[in-house]
Amino acid sequence: MSNRTLIRGGLVVTAADEMHADVLVEDGRIAALAAHNSPVSQGWTAARAIDATNRYVIPGGVDAHTHMELPFGGTFASDSFETGTRAAAWGGTTTIVDFAVQTVGRALREGLDAWYAKADGNCAIDYGFHMILSDVNEQSLKEMDLLVEEGITSFKLFMAYPGVFYSDDGQILRAMQRSAVNGGLIMMHAENGIAIDVLVEQALARGETDPRYHGEVRKVLLEAEATHRAIQLARVAGAPLYVVHVSAEEAVAELAVARDKGLPVFGETCPQYLFLSTDNLAEPDFEGAKYVCSTPLRPREHQAALWRGLRSNDLQVVSTDHCPFCFTGQKELGRGDFSKIPNGLPGVENRMDLLHQAVVDGHITRRRWIEIACATPARMFGLYPKKGTIAPGADADVVIYDPHAEQTLSVRTHHMNVDYSAYEGRRITGRVETVLSRGEVVIDQRTFTGRAGHGVYTPRSTCQYLDH
Ligand code: URP
Ligand code: ZN
Ligand code: ZN
């Protein structure tokens, strides 16, 4: 009884269902659901009751693409695992999958252990890791198998950033061949980085140094071409493929063609591509630097194709690619040379709200909101049904969401450790009220009651989405 919580009277929304139900939580898990005020739920007793009348009761968000403390562009992403996961909880996300990084010339094991150490004891919510492969060679290919067994079941490769994370086509093919055997999922940063670097050099030589040129040199065609190439390499290898941070209509079209052929090819987009555009990159006085990320923001005409892709399931997941850098002292490293602006945007706290706004605006349904933000990322990365749903046996990662509250996103009120909001002044209908992580209340009616160290490392099985 003392470890039981009863959530009464809310509309329980999962990817599959909506029902007015009472939810019983016991020992950190969902113990049972029953129709609201039914004889069954009236018989339940609990130490704590949460009144969810006029609220949604939804699974905690699963953000499958974050970069806490990422070393990048001569600096580090400004959210630590402590500040970033606390902000995630504020925004209704209860699981992140972050990226451990292999240093060129070093073992995967070394990079992974470093990331375990960064996160251990510091997280407010549960977390897992993908592994960034920066140096595909015989040794790292062998290590992939061991990592899959250990619960690191996805590997990011970069067709961009030559000299940093870049892999050539031969390395990509080898890693894909290995994943076809060991069950790992290759996640691809699909931009032709070799061609982009030529265009960067030419732009700078012409004196085009402002942030908006970041968007101009990283051309739509070079995202589409890399997406196409990645898909063909995956076909040759017989491996599934997950393309990260898809931003261009033409890249969605490549995914759609592949999926129409029945290929196991999946795509993720991010709130910044759905809600922001090259207009932001062109903001004067170097303010555009706040919006520098890769793939870059696109002209707003691309947004319709991204929403369409999310509706048609040519895109399956919305993650944040949360990679915050402060404007002062970090984004400013690129004054006078856009190529030196650290790439990345903050957003881990904003994703669930922005996607609820998309429900209000009619872009997606309520259940699709939960599918793309909770259930499918959990399935894609081997966390389902522990995460991503509300069902008996699942972890009690639950958000009580007020769909009628009004809020304005702002740096003044957010909890991310970054000195600006990419969505400053944006009005949102809907707000997180209370959050449970494995049954513990970590946000209690908009007060943080969690703690660093509550969140635990969560090993993952291989992709559970391959039959979709
Ligand atoms: O601009 C971005 N996306 N920064 C984070 C690294 C990556 O490529 O995902
Ligand atoms: Zn990337
Ligand atoms: Zn990323």
Side-chain angles (χ1 to χ4, degrees), residues 65 67 156-158 161 188-191 244-245 294-295 321:
H65 189 155
H67 300 282
K156 186 174 178 193
L157 291 165
F158 289 78
Y161 306 134
M188 188 61 75
H189 180 131
E191 288 187 290
V244 295
H245 47 53
S294 297
T295 59
D321 195 6

Side-chain angles (χ1 to χ4, degrees), residues 340-368:
K340 295 199 165 60
I341 301 169
N343 283 205
L345 257 63
V348 75
E349 188 172 350
N350 306 132
R351 182 183 67 129
M352 297 299 284
D353 285 329
L354 287 164
L355 291 177
H356 182 258
Q357 187 60 45
V359 174
V360 173
D361 294 343
H363 290 298
I364 52 173
T365 65
R366 210 155 40 192
R367 273 178 272 167
R368 187 65 177 157

Side-chain angles (χ1 to χ4, degrees), residues 70-94:
L70 178 74
F72 193 96
T75 185
F76 287 82
S78 58
D79 259 320
S80 64
F81 279 91
E82 179 171 353
T83 63
T85 58
R86 190 168 58 218
W90 273 102
T93 284
T94 51

Side-chain angles (χ1 to χ4, degrees), residues 249-398:
E249 176 171 9
E250 288 80 348
V252 180
E254 295 289 347
L255 295 171
V257 167
R259 289 182 57 78
D260 287 349
K261 291 190 171 84
L263 298 170
V265 171
F266 312 109
E268 156 201 283
T269 191
C270 311
Q272 52 269 36
Y273 307 118
L274 296 163
F275 291 92
L276 304 174
S277 73
T278 44
D279 295 351
N280 299 98
L281 265 179
E283 286 179 14
D285 302 326
F286 196 64
E287 293 274 314
K290 294 176 176 174
Y291 305 97
V292 164
C293 58
S294 297
T295 59
L297 301 186
R298 300 297 183 191
R300 63 177 60 251
E301 296 74 63
H302 289 258
Q303 292 172 359
L306 298 177
W307 288 120
R308 210 166 35 246
L310 285 171
R311 284 191 296 271
S312 66
N313 208 40
D314 285 322
L315 296 171
Q316 295 78 24
V317 172
V318 176
S319 306
T320 57
D321 195 6
H322 176 79
C323 190
F325 296 100
C326 288
F327 183 72
T328 303
Q330 292 196 294
K331 291 288 188 181
E332 283 183 334
L333 293 168
R335 272 195 197 275
D337 179 349
F338 68 84
S339 72
K340 295 199 165 60
I341 301 169
N343 283 205
L345 257 63
V348 75
E349 188 172 350
N350 306 132
R351 182 183 67 129
M352 297 299 284
D353 285 329
L354 287 164
L355 291 177
H356 182 258
Q357 187 60 45
V359 174
V360 173
D361 294 343
H363 290 298
I364 52 173
T365 65
R366 210 155 40 192
R367 273 178 272 167
R368 187 65 177 157
W369 170 42
I370 301 307
E371 191 161 36
I372 62 182
C374 311
T376 300
R379 280 202 172 98
M380 192 70 73
F381 296 106
L383 289 164
Y384 196 86
K386 183 177 167 66
K387 307 293 187 188
T389 193
I390 297 179
D395 281 357
D397 292 356
V398 180

Side-chain angles (χ1 to χ4, degrees), residues 368-437:
R368 187 65 177 157
W369 170 42
I370 301 307
E371 191 161 36
I372 62 182
C374 311
T376 300
R379 280 202 172 98
M380 192 70 73
F381 296 106
L383 289 164
Y384 196 86
K386 183 177 167 66
K387 307 293 187 188
T389 193
I390 297 179
D395 281 357
D397 292 356
V398 180
V399 176
I400 316 302
Y401 195 84
D402 181 349
H404 307 295
E406 299 284 334
Q407 60 166 318
T408 303
L409 301 183
S410 174
V411 65
R412 287 189 299 281
T413 48
H414 77 201
H415 303 85
M416 297 175 285
N417 184 38
V418 60
D419 64 359
Y420 72 96
S421 169
Y423 305 98
E424 187 65 40
R426 188 173 291 264
R427 302 278 299 155
I428 300 279
T429 300
R431 195 170 67 168
V432 169
E433 193 170 273
T434 292
V435 179
L436 281 71
S437 165

